[in-house]
Amino acid sequence: MADTLLLRHVRQVRTDPHGSSVTLDVDAIRGVQLGIMPGWLTGEPPEEQGVETGMPNLPHLDLPPTDVTPYALRVTSPAPATVRLTLAPSDSAALDDDGTGLGIVVDPDPAPVPLRVEEGEDEVVVTADRVRLRVGRHPFTLTVEDSGSGEVLLRSAHRLRQVAGLMMAPTALVDASGLSLNLELSPDEDVLGFGEQFGRLVKNGQRLVLRSEDACGTGTGLAYKPVPVWHSTTGYTGFLNTGAVVTADVGHQRPSVLGLTVADDALDLYVVAGPSPKDRLTTYTALTGRAEVPPLWAFGYWMGRCRYHDREEMLGVARTMRRHAVPLDVLHLDPDWLVVDRLNCDFIWNEERFGNRRDFVEALEEESVRLSVWELPYLDPASPRFAEAEEKGFLVRRTDGTLAAIQKTPTPDGRMRALVDFTNPEAAAWWQAMHEAFLDDGVAVFKTDFGEALPDDAALHDGTPAHQAHNLYPLRYNATVSDAIRRYTGRAPLVWGRSGWAGSQRYPGQWGGDAESTVVGMQATVRGGLSYALSAPGLWSHDIGGFFGPELTPGLYVRWTQMGALSPLMRAHGLRPREPWAFGDEALEVARRWVRLRYSLLPTLWQVAHEAASHGWPVMRPLALEFPEDPVAAQVDDVFMVGSDLLVVPVFDDGTAPVRRRFYVPEGTWHDIVTGETYDGPRFHEAELALDAMPVLARAGSLIPRIEIDEAVRHTDDLIGRPWTLHVFGPTAEKHTLVGFDGAPLHVTLSGDAVAATGGQPVQTRAVRHG
């Protein structure tokens, strides 16, 4: 077993002559534990370590040797209020990486800040813009402060001891599991984020293993899209730039410690300070990229099923949607379009079931519907294209040179499934080229399913270390497909991805995986979306009705549809039918009303999507993002914001009878856009809600643009050129700039109920005032 090393002493400080970086050489020495007693001991004098040598039950102190292993801490500031700490063995290539080596960071220094270094006897102080790093010399400690107020944002947990004085959480520790950094949690500190996690939004008390998995649902404790990004209510956002597995112990084992273990010999931590989490997300996404706004049709209603079996079944769904006057933009086709399916995708179209592909797309277009097509990055040896891919070196191999097979995801026939190696430029181009014929025939979007099954001993073409490869595979897979769409169509690309990692927000959109069709599945879905919003901000959605499980009740179908109508993207999908008429006349009527409400709000969703793209914010937001000073907001994970001005209160119930719902409303006056009822905050409210009711509250002072929807609206194309109505809630500014459906600015001036609009796509507008 490898020795455990504790980083203990700063030996030397080396400053770049240009002031862009400083490197501190740090001595690591062996650490041991005393039998079953918690805590760590080194070979340094016990009194120097703080050991209570007078304790009557203190075991014999068999001190380890103090041989030194050299490590280094490199400090830079790639952006304002940001400090990057790279901690690694002194000969590690990680110390020379500008941050982009793994492909997570796309701009290594969006706005670099020079460093000011002050060396004292006890500490080294590095100041960069609005953030200050204090590094203790002996023992080695880390503290990050707001340089203006002096307020501590984070500090290493070196102060924490057990009863005999042994160190409970050394600043940095290296053992067989990797490199660990221990941070002290302050008494009132909450930690949020770490990607799409389906438990409570506040992560305190949880231990999270960040490894992209085929989670098999939202209640297994696994995650499709973990992200090593978190927010602390002390005022910082942390980002670990790694593809390695990260274990985040948020006060689980040690109640006052945030323990971060990276399964690597290097740790690359970005600490972003700022007055609000929104400001910090703007900085984070300047480093890792932002989502573009997809075409307007992407924000319409999507319908899918696992599976539609042939052309006539899908055309029948499209025609029935039209007959029931339910707007619909996209029909999704799961794997039955393949000749060889069951965890295979070789892009060989099944003409026996769906006929000529272009003819099929044109037939859907006659019903005003676009086609979405499923894919995954795995190849079955039964596919005619398998031999070609293997011969040309397009498939992932293991470190022993043998062909790699997917890991953990079971196959229906027991055969291996190979994985496409997207780090091989020729393999990526081959995969992209197979999309082009589909795009040429009019396919609108691809559902990039799976991607979580790369084995841990993969030897990728570009030399990515095996321990880094697994979590980076989803990022590279979705990038390959997204880039193909962009290059071939010239428009902002859109995929519908299940797996993800840090940086995935730049390849919209993602959905929450296979939720169970239960109330708790719906609740977990909301929590997953809110958690993901804080770590990979952009466009995220979910399967309305859940994907599997007990038979979906009409009541839960309606409640989930209501929530979906206010989600960033809206898709109904599952193992069994999700069409609204499948749940009875009442469900059809209520679902149609909420789908139409969504279409009426598309001008507002369009504004929020453009704001998100410009600033690096999510469309769906937890209250903690918009109200960081509210002491209750961080704990609230059963409601969500759409942008800054709409508060959505999902109803978690599977019956059709009215239900009482208790919910929190933040500061201000809020108006229900459906009923007109007014709520004041900050406080909890309770309302009795019939099946057709879900609170959607507009903040006082907001302007909500809407479109009147009638039975003539079949899809989003029918909205172009329709007049907008500007709903004004309470006093608001006289002048506003909106974004028209053509993407150009639309300048509006309010004067009573009159509106003057200039620029952008010509629309007639009027104002309706509320409150």
Side-chain angles (χ1 to χ4, degrees):
M1 181 177 177
D3 288 343
T4 297
L5 301 176
L6 275 59
L7 276 65
R8 292 291 292 164
H9 176 67
V10 174
R11 180 169 24 89
Q12 180 178 242
V13 180
R14 295 177 282 127
T15 303
D16 178 88
H18 304 292
S20 60
S21 70
V22 58
T23 301
L24 294 84
D25 295 320
V26 184
D27 292 340
I29 59 176
R30 187 178 172 192
V32 296
Q33 292 184 291
L34 301 180
I36 63 170
M37 180 177 283
W40 293 93
L41 187 70
T42 70
E44 300 161 296
E47 294 80 4
E48 188 177 305
Q49 298 180 61
V51 177
E52 299 286 353
T53 55
M55 289 289 290
N57 62 339
L58 184 70
H60 172 69
L61 301 180
D62 188 8
L63 301 181
T66 57
D67 297 345
V68 169
T69 300
Y71 274 71
L73 171 67
R74 185 171 185 266
V75 183
T76 60
S77 180
T82 303
V83 61
R84 179 188 177 203
L85 311 176
T86 307
L87 190 60
S90 58
D91 59 353
S92 172
L95 295 166
D96 298 318
D97 178 25
D98 67 356
T100 62
L102 296 173
I104 299 171
V105 171
V106 294
D107 188 342
D109 47 6
V113 175
L115 304 178
R116 187 172 73 253
V117 181
E118 302 169 71
E119 293 192 52
E121 183 178 344
D122 298 323
E123 66 177 5
V124 179
V125 181
V126 182
T127 303
D129 187 54
R130 302 189 300 275
V131 66
R132 178 187 299 121
L133 169 69
R134 296 185 181 274
V135 183
R137 287 183 177 271
H138 188 69
F140 172 65
T141 64
L142 300 170
T143 303
V144 179
E145 303 171 340
D146 182 305
S147 60
S149 65
E151 195 171 322
V152 172
L153 303 177
L154 69 80
R155 62 158 51 97
S156 52
H158 56 276
R159 305 188 301 176
L160 304 183
R161 309 279 167 154
Q162 48 92 292
V163 67
L166 274 66
M167 295 174 282
M168 280 296 297
T171 298
L173 179 151
V174 183
D175 61 13
S177 62
L179 199 161
S180 297
L181 179 68
N182 292 308
L183 305 177
E184 182 179 332
L185 292 170
S186 64
D188 58 351
E189 181 178 359
D190 286 332
V191 173
L192 302 86
F194 291 114
E196 188 186 61
Q197 305 292 339
F198 298 108
R200 295 304 304 261
L201 185 61
V202 171
K203 299 304 187 287
N204 295 53
Q206 301 180 37
R207 181 180 182 273
L208 305 168
V209 178
L210 307 187
R211 186 180 191 277
S212 178
E213 299 277 16
D214 181 351
C216 297
T218 55
T220 63
L222 304 175
Y224 301 102
K225 293 178 281 297
V227 181
V229 173
W230 68 98
H231 298 263
S232 167
T233 54
T234 61
Y236 80 92
T237 294
F239 158 47
L240 286 168
N241 182 27
T242 183
V245 173
V246 174
T247 301
D249 187 307
V250 193
H252 175 75
Q253 180 182 359
R254 296 156 296 181
S256 298
V257 177
L258 168 57
L260 301 162
T261 300
V262 180
D264 192 13
D265 64 356
L267 183 148
D268 191 14
L269 171 65
Y270 290 71
V271 179
V272 182
S276 75
K278 288 172 71 175
D279 292 314
R280 303 194 296 267
L281 281 180
T282 297
T283 299
Y284 166 68
T285 55
L287 291 160
T288 60
R290 295 173 185 157
E292 291 183 72
V293 180
L296 181 62
W297 55 259
F299 296 92
Y301 188 31
W302 298 36
M303 179 62 64
R305 192 195 302 172
C306 185
R307 311 177 174 198
Y308 293 127
H309 296 296
D310 55 41
R311 168 192 178 103
E312 290 309 312
E313 186 177 23
M314 290 188 73
L315 288 171
V317 169
R319 290 163 184 154
T320 307
M321 293 289 277
R322 298 301 171 228
R323 189 167 69 248
H324 288 298
V326 180
L328 180 68
D329 267 84
V330 180
L331 262 180
H332 172 68
L333 175 57
D334 254 15
D336 270 18
W337 67 267
L338 288 152
V339 176
V340 178
D341 72 351
R342 305 291 176 184
L343 290 182
N344 171 74
C345 184
D346 55 14
F347 294 91
I348 299 175
W349 181 259
N350 193 325
E351 292 203 358
E352 182 178 339
R353 291 187 175 193
F354 293 94
N356 177 272
R357 186 171 55 232
R358 179 167 295 191
D359 289 347
F360 178 49
V361 170
E362 290 175 352
L364 288 173
E365 288 176 349
E366 289 178 8
E367 303 299 331
S368 304
V369 173
R370 291 172 170 87
L371 179 62
S372 165
V373 170
W374 177 96
E375 69 172 282
L376 54 58
Y378 311 150
L379 272 178
D380 188 326
S383 167
R385 287 190 168 143
F386 186 93
E388 174 195 0
E390 183 178 17
E391 180 184 349
K392 293 182 175 178
F394 293 168
L395 303 179
V396 175
R397 307 197 82 83
R398 297 183 184 274
T399 50
D400 64 4
T402 61
L403 200 61
I406 63 172
Q407 184 180 53
K408 293 190 177 181
T409 293
T411 58
D413 45 33
R415 284 198 306 272
M416 67 88 72
R417 298 296 193 277
L419 306 95
V420 178
D421 187 345
F422 295 110
T423 71
N424 180 342
E426 292 183 4
W430 175 74
W431 193 257
Q432 291 176 326
M434 290 189 290
H435 287 76
E436 290 184 1
F438 285 69
L439 294 166
D440 189 53
D441 284 342
V443 170
V445 60
F446 295 90
K447 171 183 171 180
T448 47
D449 207 353
F450 290 83
E452 310 95 349
L454 188 78
D456 294 331
D457 59 350
L460 296 182
H461 179 272
D462 73 343
T464 299
H467 68 281
Q468 296 273 4
H470 177 88
N471 285 327
L472 295 177
Y473 191 82
L475 186 68
R476 290 160 169 174
Y477 162 40
N478 282 281
T480 299
V481 180
S482 181
D483 290 347
I485 296 170
R486 177 197 305 281
R487 188 177 66 249
Y488 191 77
T489 67
R491 61 169 166 81
L494 177 73
V495 296
W496 188 274
R498 187 176 82 173
S499 57
W501 188 245
S504 285
Q505 75 276 352
R506 62 183 185 254
Y507 307 116
Q510 291 83 39
W511 100 98
D514 299 334
E516 186 180 46
S517 300
T518 60
V519 171
V520 294
M522 180 180 171
Q523 178 191 51
T525 293
V526 173
R527 289 173 171 170
L530 294 178
S531 189
Y532 191 65
L534 289 167
S535 307
L539 292 165
W540 174 95
S541 194
H542 48 90
D543 285 345
I544 291 172
F547 182 72
F548 75 99
E551 209 54 49
L552 181 61
T553 67
L556 183 58
Y557 176 79
V558 167
R559 295 303 190 186
W560 212 314
T561 299
Q562 291 168 338
M563 181 178 83
L566 273 298
S567 297
L569 302 172
M570 184 183 189
R571 187 183 81 159
H573 184 77
L575 280 174
R576 285 170 283 281
R578 292 293 180 263
E579 295 81 22
W581 54 86
F583 298 90
D585 291 343
E586 183 181 21
L588 170 60
E589 172 58 33
V590 178
R592 175 170 48 218
R593 194 179 311 156
W594 281 88
V595 173
R596 288 179 176 176
L597 176 69
R598 176 183 183 81
Y599 277 71
S600 80
L601 286 167
L602 284 184
T604 294
L605 278 165
W606 192 245
Q607 309 311 310
V608 177
H610 278 81
E611 177 190 64
S614 296
H615 299 286
W617 300 336
V619 173
M620 176 184 183
R621 303 174 187 174
L623 291 188
L625 194 63
E626 288 294 333
F627 301 93
E629 302 302 321
D630 185 328
V632 176
Q635 305 291 331
V636 178
D637 54 15
D638 63 347
V639 305
F640 61 89
M641 301 289 295
V642 177
S644 301
D645 294 327
L646 285 179
L647 174 64
V648 181
V649 184
V651 181
F652 302 103
D653 189 72
D654 57 6
T656 56
V659 61
R660 295 201 69 79
R661 173 73 157 92
R662 185 171 182 265
F663 56 94
Y664 183 73
V665 173
E667 182 180 9
T669 300
W670 299 79
H671 305 268
D672 192 311
I673 68 170
V674 177
T675 68
E677 189 168 351
T678 299
Y679 297 87
D680 290 317
R683 69 184 184 91
F684 284 91
H685 289 265
E686 194 167 298
E688 183 167 297
L689 301 169
L691 183 63
D692 64 350
M694 179 185 75
V696 181
L697 312 181
R699 193 204 300 239
S702 65
L703 181 147
I704 307 296
R706 296 180 63 174
I707 289 180
E708 294 292 332
I709 303 297
D710 53 32
E711 292 191 2
V713 173
R714 301 159 300 165
H715 60 163
T716 52
D717 289 4
D718 294 332
L719 304 182
I720 305 300
R722 281 200 168 211
W724 291 13
T725 301
L726 307 181
H727 291 260
V728 181
F729 294 87
T732 190
E734 180 182 303
K735 296 182 181 297
H736 298 260
T737 298
L738 306 177
V739 181
F741 284 151
D742 60 351
L746 181 67
H747 305 288
V748 299
T749 302
L750 303 176
S751 179
D753 293 338
V755 178
T758 59
Q761 176 179 308
V763 292
Q764 296 176 341
T765 55
R766 66 187 182 95
V768 176
R769 296 189 177 270
H770 306 263

